[in-house]
Amino acid sequence: MGTSGECVDIAVDEVDQWAEITALALVTTQIKARPGQPFAARLRTMRLGASQLSELSYGPLLSQRTPRLIRQSDPELFQVAVIASGRQRIEQAGNATVLRGGEMVLYDSSRPFRSQVENCPGGSMARGVLFQFHKAGLPFSPREMDRLLAVPLNTRRGAGRLLAQFLATAAGEYAACTAFEAARLGTTAIDLVTTALGHHLGREDQVPADARRQALYRGITAFIEDHMGDPALSADGIAAAHHISVRSLHRLFQQHGTTVASWIRRQRLERCRRELADARLGSRPIHAIAAKWGFPRPADFTRSFRSTYGITPSDYRGMFLDGVTGTPR
């Protein structure tokens, strides 16, 4: 359970149990498993303010949300699902698609849907993450949203890629988040959903300015993370890659309480710190780790590391490697 105190992790081996758990945590559906085959499933839910992020894994099944179930209970939620593995056929609002690992789809709890999960290679389970939030959080009309239900949403570039990556990362880092941080993650996720769906609808003009700024910030930080090891990474290059002025770039980071240079430096140091604490990398020279993350001069790295963490890189590594490896520091 994370420090946010809002994480539930449940594993089951009965279809009826799975139906009960998902009805409480997600929405009520009818679920049928493949006859004659063992069934297993797992659900991990994480509260993100007023929204919820879930990690799911399950075997072959058929899930349906019927008009009767909707009349009995409708929380009026949208759900964005990112498929990590497995093959699923999704039907809703007259749309139908087959999704595979790496693809993303939108559901509406107020509309009937049908989802069929097929056999996974080697008997493995289908896996994915699901972000659910109140419909009122989006600025688009119901008719516009219907166009996006049960259709593949692009995760290869732009805001769609950022959204899929963000949801997966948020699930992985949730245990280290406070309740306040988790709520902020929920706000960021909705901003990214809004931006991604606005792009698909061709209605970027309807996306609130705050959501556009947040999506731009996430895009820029993702770009920096992809180029962290390049010592030539600069504000000029980052701004040019995103077709904005250097002044706008600096203003964007100032709104997040930091500077471009400080953010890059801190991220580089964090990556170095993690590798120095990894016993599996005990034989890798400290200067090689530093160079990998954009510190080509060892003296500059040592000075920055000690200034930030109050200890030299060598002594920090020693805290984790003494008694584990005989490799010289």
Side-chain angles (χ1 to χ4, degrees):
M1 181 175 292
T3 54
S4 66
E6 295 286 346
C7 181
V8 177
D9 193 340
I10 302 174
V12 301
D13 56 9
E14 295 288 342
V15 176
D16 290 344
Q17 292 177 318
W18 183 241
E20 291 176 6
I21 289 169
T22 54
L24 292 172
L26 307 175
V27 295
T28 307
T29 57
Q30 295 176 348
I31 298 177
K32 296 179 181 179
R34 188 70 57 83
Q37 291 189 4
F39 178 80
R42 185 167 186 168
L43 172 68
R44 176 174 173 250
T45 63
M46 296 152 276
R47 179 59 55 185
L48 301 182
S51 306
Q52 180 177 284
L53 181 63
S54 303
E55 278 186 324
L56 304 95
S57 58
Y58 38 82
L61 56 77
L62 172 64
S63 175
Q64 298 182 88
R65 182 158 169 80
T66 65
R68 179 183 177 187
L69 291 176
I70 293 170
R71 288 193 298 270
Q72 290 176 347
S73 173
D74 182 17
E76 297 190 354
L77 300 172
F78 282 126
Q79 298 175 317
V80 173
V82 182
I83 309 301
S85 65
R87 187 171 184 270
Q88 302 188 35
R89 178 177 174 82
I90 311 293
E91 301 174 22
Q92 189 172 51
N95 301 322
T97 187
V98 176
L99 297 174
R100 295 170 178 82
E103 296 185 314
M104 182 166 62
V105 70
L106 176 73
Y107 294 93
D108 181 346
S109 71
S110 304
R111 304 290 297 272
F113 72 75
R114 174 187 172 99
S115 174
Q116 184 166 0
V117 180
E118 302 180 359
N119 280 330
C120 300
S124 60
M125 293 193 290
R127 296 183 299 106
V129 294
L130 182 74
F131 177 61
Q132 59 185 35
F133 56 96
H134 294 290
K135 291 183 180 182
L138 295 183
F140 310 115
S141 70
R143 180 174 295 181
E144 288 176 313
M145 295 304 298
D146 282 353
R147 291 164 45 194
L148 300 179
L149 299 176
V151 300
L153 301 176
N154 194 334
T155 59
R156 296 182 180 274
R157 59 181 180 275
R161 176 172 177 264
L162 291 173
L163 173 60
Q165 291 178 336
F166 178 83
L167 295 179
T169 301
E173 296 296 326
Y174 185 82
C177 293
T178 64
F180 175 78
E181 291 169 337
R184 291 290 299 272
L185 292 178
T187 301
T188 299
I190 291 176
D191 285 342
L192 288 172
V193 169
T194 305
T195 305
L197 297 185
H199 172 76
H200 278 277
L201 291 169
R203 298 301 300 270
E204 286 89 344
D205 58 312
Q206 284 188 262
V207 178
D210 286 346
R212 290 198 298 269
R213 282 193 295 269
Q214 185 64 26
L216 176 61
Y217 179 75
R218 287 294 309 174
I220 289 172
T221 54
F223 174 86
I224 293 173
E225 289 170 354
D226 288 343
H227 297 81
M228 196 73 69
D230 182 2
L233 185 66
S234 68
D236 287 344
I238 296 167
H242 292 83
H243 310 290
I244 61 175
S245 68
V246 174
R247 182 178 179 182
S248 296
L249 176 68
H250 286 305
R251 186 163 55 244
L252 183 63
F253 275 76
Q254 286 168 2
Q255 292 169 352
H256 286 79
T258 187
T259 66
V260 179
S262 295
W263 197 91
I264 294 173
R265 174 177 171 273
R266 185 64 189 230
Q267 295 301 313
R268 283 173 166 164
L269 286 170
E270 272 298 293
R271 282 158 177 74
C272 292
R273 183 188 64 79
R274 292 174 191 172
E275 293 201 2
L276 290 172
D278 191 339
R280 296 169 299 179
L281 303 178
S283 62
R284 183 172 298 173
I286 291 176
H287 68 81
I289 292 175
K292 173 185 175 182
W293 294 112
F295 292 103
R297 292 183 288 274
D300 290 345
F301 169 64
T302 297
R303 184 166 50 252
S304 293
F305 193 95
R306 182 165 49 193
S307 174
T308 301
Y309 300 111
I311 189 173
T312 66
S314 178
D315 287 342
Y316 182 82
R317 168 177 265 186
M319 293 168 56
F320 296 89
L321 300 191
D322 282 349
V324 176
T325 176
T327 304
R329 298 186 233 154

